[in-house]
Amino acid sequence: MIKPLVTLVGLLHKSKISEQVRYASQALPQLSSEKYNIKRKDFGTIKSSDVSYFKSILNEGRVLTDENDVMPYNIDWIKNCRGQSTVVLKPQNTAEVSAILKYCNEKRLAVCPQGGNTGLVGGSVPVFDEIVLNFSLMNKIESLDDVSGALICEAGCILENLDNYVRERGLIMPLDLGAKGSCHIGGNASTNAGGLRLLRYGNLHGSILGIEAVKADGTVIDCLKALKKDNTGYHLKHLFIGSEGTLGFVTKVAVSCPVLPKAVNLGFFGVENFENILKLYKSAKSSLGEILSAFEMADFDSINSTVQNLKLPNPIADYPFYVLVETHGSDDVHDGEKLSRFLSKEMESGLIVDGTVTSEPSKMQTIWNLRESIAGAGLVVGYVFKYDVSIPLKNYYDLVPILRKKVGDKALIVCGYGHVGDGNIHINVTVPKYSQEIASVLEPYIFEEVSKLNGSISAEHGIGFRKPKYIHYSKDKSALQLMKDLKQLMDPNGILNPYKVLPDTV
Ligand SMILES: Cc1cc2nc3c(=O)[nH]c(=O)nc-3n(C[C@H](O)[C@H](O)[C@H](O)COP(=O)(O)OP(=O)(O)OC[C@H]3O[C@@H](n4cnc5c(N)ncnc54)[C@H](O)[C@@H]3O)c2cc1C
Ligand SMILES: *[C@@H]1O[C@H](CO)[C@@H](O)[C@H](O)[C@H]1NC(C)=O
Ligand SMILES: *[C@@H]1O[C@H](CO)[C@@H](O)[C@H](O)[C@H]1NC(C)=O
Ligand SMILES: *[C@@H]1O[C@H](CO)[C@@H](O)[C@H](O)[C@H]1NC(C)=O
Ligand SMILES: *[C@@H]1O[C@H](CO)[C@@H](O)[C@H](O)[C@H]1NC(C)=O
Ligand SMILES: *[C@@H]1O[C@H](CO)[C@@H](O)[C@H](O)[C@H]1NC(C)=O
């Protein structure tokens, strides 16, 4: 269930102390502006009169200016970026977001929206002194239609809380990310988050039915229809999905929730080579049909380093590749039979060398936990260059061996894992320590290669602060110009999440 406000505020005060201790005892990441040599744009600077104004529309407790209180909002999840904001605002409703933006627009004050701050491309933290908006207090569920499955809620609802809420009513959230315990539905919408079951439930452009958002000048755009079909002119909600807070701030969403599957089965298989993974994927689609809900892969190095570092159990022996196949359906016996038949057929053909199939919740959890830990194991020794790319399936894994060769023994591990069903591979290059030298071996090389393979340089994490200079590898000039024209139209003063997504030159 969603926590009542009182509890959240109470928690906030308690966590303050531990946070101060945490940040004092850790080396802070270098300032993003220095690390990436960025010039501050010509925005206004915050005066005490601005802070007084914010305190007049929110209340005192929802305007943070103490350096220690503000610090966590300046640092991103992977501790790669650090901004210099001095003010954090915590609006409680759309009207407050509107009043804040209207004022900031008039004063040319830049703003940075922050959801769960789990974003991986530096989009959710300021670069200079942008005012941070924390959406956590906008966590109310407005309605749930248990016949259509339409859920309407505020942007700051935590994905996991929403999932628990709708599950009690026989539904599930259409997405399930590794970061679900902290990411917000508004942050998800703004990044068009993908996740583990996109293969089955589609991406957010399909499952978000409606959006309410606030433009830079404070105008509230109401596209919050909870209809599956609505062809009345331009599909404006899509402008806010995936635009990472650069065109407007998402305040509410209407999401279409699928039915909670009665039967869930999971298989974990060892496979000899990547070519066999593709054959297996084709076979899974044909054998399992509409119940196939996830088809994930990981190479040996991904699994081995996760298993070793985190002391997790691997349910099967060592293989060059692993595949995870999940089904969501309505009939336990029927679905289990389908999956077992698929397993025996492909063990006989040799595509699967070893494997296990289970419908027992605790065993499924062990397997999913292993898969999800690859992305956020946290216990890596060294610095990770992390890439999130889409590549047409026939070339899906090509880059991993190419990079292994290119970086040679400068890297501790080069590994690949991801969502085969979506053509999305995550590549980690772990080195002992960040250095400009190794960075320049990898970038822009990897983006050039992705571009040559007709892929996308950002499959799900977005462009954020880290990748605007590489966006041209995946978007042509005319498309980039149209993005700039839209930005100019919706945010003429450029106050919404500056230094993100759009490159300075086209
Ligand atoms: C362990 C782990 C696993 C992950 N797995 C996946 C995965 O499987 N698939 C995937 O796609 N991503 C994944 N991510 C990335 C990340 O969780 C997603 O991008 C997520 O959608 C971000 O949500 P958030 O609420 O944390 O947003 P934040 O990180 O706070 O913000 C993300 C972007 O959205 C903007 N923003 C936030 N809220 C709003 C709002 N209300 N209005 C306008 N703009 C806003 C921010 O300015 C920023 O640019 C993972 C991250 C981690 C740490
Ligand atoms: C945003 O505010 C909420 C509730 O007030 C808090 O729990 C959360 O930690 C804050 N975000 C950050 C990055 O501190
Ligand atoms: C939001 O994104 C996170 C992380 O990518 C994911 O785990 C979660 O399922 C998403 N939430 C929704 C409602 O899609
Ligand atoms: C598995 O990982 C451990 C720890 O990272 C490493 O020492 C070992 O060499 C790896 N095994 C293989 C076969 O690469
Ligand atoms: C991949 O990179 C992420 C983010 O840096 C890290 O948390 C994770 O442990 C890495 N996983 C592997 C297997 O290298
Ligand atoms: C990429 O697309 C172009 C144009 O459609 C095509 O000519 C080329 O062969 C493709 N490249 C690869 C590696 O598939």
Side-chain angles (χ1 to χ4, degrees), residues 77-78 120 301-303 305-306 309 373-380 384-386 413 415 417 428 430:
W77 192 84
I78 44 174
L120 298 171
D301 285 324
S302 301
I303 294 288
S305 64
T306 307
N309 286 340
S373 300
I374 304 172
L379 267 178
V380 280
V384 189
F385 288 92
K386 197 176 161 72
I413 306 166
C415 65
Y417 59 96
N428 271 14
T430 308

Side-chain angles (χ1 to χ4, degrees), residues 174 192-204 293 421-422 460:
N192 184 29
L196 302 166
R197 299 192 178 93
L198 188 140
L199 173 65
R200 170 72 176 274
Y201 299 110
N203 75 26
L204 287 177
S293 55
D422 318 330
E460 54 180 16

